Amino acid sequence: MNNVSIITVTVIGVVINMWAQTAEPGVTFTRVTSGPTVTDSGYTWGCAWVDYNLDGYPDLFVLGGGTGSSSEVNRLYLNNHDGTFTRMTTNEVGGLVGDRGGWFGCTWADFNNDGWPDVYLTCNPTNALFLNLAGQGFWRAWEVGGMVTELAHGQSASWADYNNDGWVDLWVNDAYTPLLIFA
């Protein structure tokens, strides 16, 4: 697939559709039908593109769950730089793809200003923050206060430095509590 300029991913239940836009004149999308990003099975809820290892190529993160059960795991697909992806394992990236949960949403940002994208996940029963270990894996942070201990049943979240202090702040939409901002 040469000259791919845009790839879209749609995650609905157990069906994952992936479409690649070619560099041909006009808007043309071709459905991707092979590889782990479209052939892996399991209940999924959402996805996000992120260059988690900072190699200049977008990798794909897919949330497992969303059903409120603890039976699904997330998936992180490493971009192989040739239009294909490799599904990462817990041995390679840790609990980000091994911890089971009813994952709903994710948002990526450099939480600790170390230059590497970290991810906040909303989940039933407990939201989670995974810190990027310089592209070599992820560590689930428990000692970050209310953003993981006070919240449950998170639906979505978003990072922004709304107070312009040089540190990203977190907005969380939780199913049973008022909207919360952690600055």
Side-chain angles (χ1 to χ4, degrees), residues 2-3 5 21-30:
N2 295 335
N3 300 323
S5 58
Q21 181 179 359
T22 62
E24 303 296 322
V27 179
T28 304
F29 285 89
T30 303

Side-chain angles (χ1 to χ4, degrees), residues 18-139:
M18 190 168 181
W19 300 84
Q21 181 179 359
T22 62
E24 303 296 322
V27 179
T28 304
F29 285 89
T30 303
R31 186 173 186 164
V32 177
T33 58
S34 63
T37 56
V38 295
T39 58
D40 282 353
S41 63
Y43 198 84
T44 58
W45 196 257
C47 61
W49 291 106
V50 61
D51 182 9
Y52 84 92
N53 58 358
L54 302 181
D55 64 357
Y57 289 84
D59 307 299
L60 178 63
F61 181 68
V62 178
L63 290 150
T67 62
S69 74
S70 297
S71 62
E72 297 293 337
V73 294
N74 299 314
R75 302 169 198 163
L76 181 61
Y77 297 98
L78 175 68
N79 189 321
N80 296 324
H81 309 176
D82 62 2
T84 66
F85 294 84
T86 299
R87 184 173 176 174
M88 304 307 290
T89 67
T90 55
N91 288 338
E92 296 164 316
V93 294
L96 178 63
V97 298
D99 289 3
R100 295 189 177 278
W103 306 104
F104 281 98
C106 66
T107 184
W108 292 82
D110 185 8
F111 166 77
N112 53 2
N113 283 348
D114 66 352
W116 295 90
D118 309 301
V119 63
Y120 186 82
L121 305 177
T122 57
C123 182
N124 177 12
T126 305
N127 300 330
L129 173 66
F130 285 89
L131 299 178
N132 189 330
L133 303 174
Q136 301 303 306
F138 291 86
W139 174 73

